[in-house]
Amino acid sequence: MEWFDWTIYASFAIFFSSQFFPPGNETTALLATFGIFAVGFFMRPVGGWVLGIFSDRYGRKAALGLTILMMAGGSLIIAITPTYATIGLAAPLLLTAARLLQGLSLGGEYASATTFLAEMAPPNKRGFYSSFVFFSAAVGILAASAVGWILTSVLTKADMAAWGWRIPFLLGALGGLAGMWIRRAIPETEAFSHAKKAGVEKQPLRTLLRDHPREVLRIVGFSVLTTFAFYIFVAYVPTYAIRQVGADPKTAFAANTVALIVFMLVQPLFGMLSDRIGRKPQLIFFAAGYLLFFYPLMTTLGPSFGSILAVELFGLVLYAMYTAIAPAIMSEQFPTSVRAVGIGTPYNLVVALLGGTTPYLLTWLQSKGMERWFFYYVLAGAVITLITFIRMPETKGQVLK
């Protein structure tokens, strides 16, 4: 549900952006909306730090309950906020406040969920277990895309802009209640329970930077290309196809939905594969594939269903080779006492700097007719991440400290 809530903002921005800002220029309104999207990202490192410390001190279960409550609350605020025409400047201010709350939530969510699954997994099956972080995330993202597909099929563009965009945010707020009920029933991990008996870290961030600087930099290197991959192929390609190449909204959302189904289904397969052949071969193949084929495919994107689907499948299936085992390889870098803050802080910092600005930068470059420069930016990220994967030690089967 949290990934549903987070994704619908980018997916439906093209419809609600004009409702929160002065009328007259749709591109300016969309840029402002994506600017707020980026602002929300800058709360993610704060969430990774604050809620990561909370998770390392009070448990994975407590942190997971708190994060879903915050995310659902943000969606409710967006769903019921009046338009700019009704309350003026208060509309974009409330939108910004909601995204800040959601950014804080997601920053803590990823670290807590990652450590929870990795710590409960047997060492020889950690890749398989960890694949369910993004499997479940894909379910939420898929639901967001499917809702977009359904709504754009049954409502006109005018209805979507007027009120239809509020529906997914209301669904997200209601879904948070179900998530809270589920998370109340989960047990705490044994690894955390044992670590807590030994005593919690009083200054976890200081300990992290002093004792694990190489591992922190490794998380940064992991996250450069992977951040681009997520927000390009999960959230932005439908908007890019609609605005830049003239695709019908129903076609763009349909292709995105089909690709996300494939992305979801291959997660456990790639998780199991890494438990057999190791983490590094799979990760190197992912980064090298982007480096070689990302630019040619993106520059040939067309408005047809087949063209959009082909580009989406390329991006998401390769990306799944990483996401399936990302919780495992990140958790294998740190001891239990600083695991959540060690994952959450550097990972969310990169996501804030790169992922939060991706839709804004792409929209601005499109308005200048220079969008291909962004593709070179992604290729530079692919080089950094590929080098990180080549230099990292193999961690398959490692017993968590």
Side-chain angles (χ1 to χ4, degrees):
M1 290 313 305
E2 283 178 294
W3 281 102
F4 175 87
D5 288 356
W6 185 256
T7 305
I8 55 178
Y9 185 98
S11 298
F12 288 86
I14 195 171
F15 297 111
F16 69 76
S17 57
S18 60
Q19 302 294 309
F20 286 92
F21 296 94
N25 190 318
E26 289 187 6
T27 299
T28 300
L30 188 60
L31 282 170
T33 304
F34 281 138
I36 293 175
F37 183 79
V39 168
F41 271 79
F42 286 103
M43 288 301 288
R44 288 189 60 168
V46 180
W49 170 46
V50 174
L51 295 175
I53 292 174
F54 182 89
S55 178
D56 286 334
R57 286 186 177 175
Y58 301 105
R60 317 313 185 197
K61 178 179 178 178
L64 288 169
L66 180 59
T67 57
I68 198 166
L69 181 64
M70 295 165 65
M71 182 65 76
S75 285
L76 181 61
I77 292 171
I78 297 173
I80 64 176
T81 295
T83 64
Y84 183 91
T86 304
I87 61 172
L89 187 60
L93 290 177
L94 284 170
L95 181 65
T96 303
R99 288 303 286 181
L100 290 174
L101 183 63
Q102 291 185 321
L104 190 69
S105 167
L106 199 61
E109 161 72 16
Y110 182 77
S112 298
T114 292
T115 54
F116 178 81
L117 272 185
E119 288 174 359
M120 69 181 291
N124 65 335
K125 293 184 178 179
R126 191 175 298 122
F128 174 67
Y129 274 55
S130 76
S131 70
F132 287 93
V133 170
F134 270 88
F135 181 92
S136 59
V139 173
I141 297 163
L142 176 62
S145 182
V147 167
W149 186 2
I150 293 169
L151 289 178
T152 54
S153 298
V154 301
L155 298 177
T156 65
K157 287 185 179 180
D159 287 338
M160 285 296 301
W163 56 270
W165 62 268
R166 295 185 186 273
I167 295 173
F169 290 103
L170 286 171
L171 292 174
L174 292 172
L177 298 176
M180 282 293 295
W181 177 76
I182 291 170
R183 290 184 178 190
R184 287 182 63 187
I186 63 174
E188 189 54 80
T189 68
E190 289 186 16
F192 174 79
S193 298
H194 292 321
K196 189 175 180 180
K197 291 177 182 178
V200 297
E201 287 285 350
K202 294 182 178 179
Q203 295 181 308
L205 191 59
R206 180 180 177 181
T207 300
L208 178 72
L209 296 177
R210 183 191 64 207
D211 297 343
H212 308 283
R214 182 177 298 178
E215 290 80 2
V216 169
L217 289 175
R218 197 173 289 145
I219 298 294
V220 171
F222 291 168
S223 305
V224 176
L225 174 61
T226 58
T227 298
F228 287 140
F230 179 88
Y231 288 99
I232 291 171
F233 292 103
V234 172
Y236 197 75
V237 164
T239 299
Y240 179 79
I242 294 166
R243 286 178 57 84
Q244 191 65 19
V245 299
D248 184 273
K250 293 191 295 293
T251 300
F253 277 117
N256 185 246
T257 301
V258 172
L260 283 169
I261 292 172
V262 176
F263 175 72
M264 176 182 68
L265 294 177
V266 298
Q267 297 292 322
L269 301 179
F270 286 140
M272 288 188 290
L273 180 64
S274 80
D275 287 329
R276 288 178 175 271
I277 68 170
R279 320 294 193 216
K280 287 186 66 170
Q282 195 165 304
L283 295 171
I284 291 170
F285 189 87
F286 150 68
Y290 266 75
L291 186 61
L292 294 174
F293 300 112
F294 171 76
Y295 183 85
L297 279 172
M298 286 299 293
T299 52
T300 56
L301 178 68
S304 69
F305 175 85
S307 177
I308 299 171
L309 180 60
V311 171
E312 289 271 31
L313 286 176
F314 157 77
L316 289 176
V317 172
L318 271 183
Y319 179 49
M321 300 186 78
Y322 166 79
T323 58
I325 59 175
I329 61 172
M330 288 186 178
S331 296
E332 288 160 351
Q333 307 303 315
F334 304 104
T336 302
S337 59
V338 293
R339 183 166 293 125
V341 71
I343 295 170
T345 304
Y347 167 74
N348 283 293
L349 182 61
V350 175
V351 170
L353 294 174
L354 301 181
T357 57
T358 292
Y360 184 95
L361 181 60
L362 262 172
T363 301
W364 181 81
L365 287 172
Q366 285 173 14
S367 70
K368 303 294 184 182
M370 299 165 54
E371 65 273 3
R372 293 196 180 193
W373 283 98
F374 179 79
F375 302 151
Y376 302 132
Y377 187 43
V378 175
L379 293 178
V383 172
I384 294 171
T385 299
L386 178 60
I387 292 172
T388 304
F389 288 152
I390 291 172
R391 294 176 60 87
M392 69 172 277
E394 179 58 68
T395 55
K396 177 177 77 81
Q398 175 180 304
V399 177
L400 296 181
K401 303 178 225 179

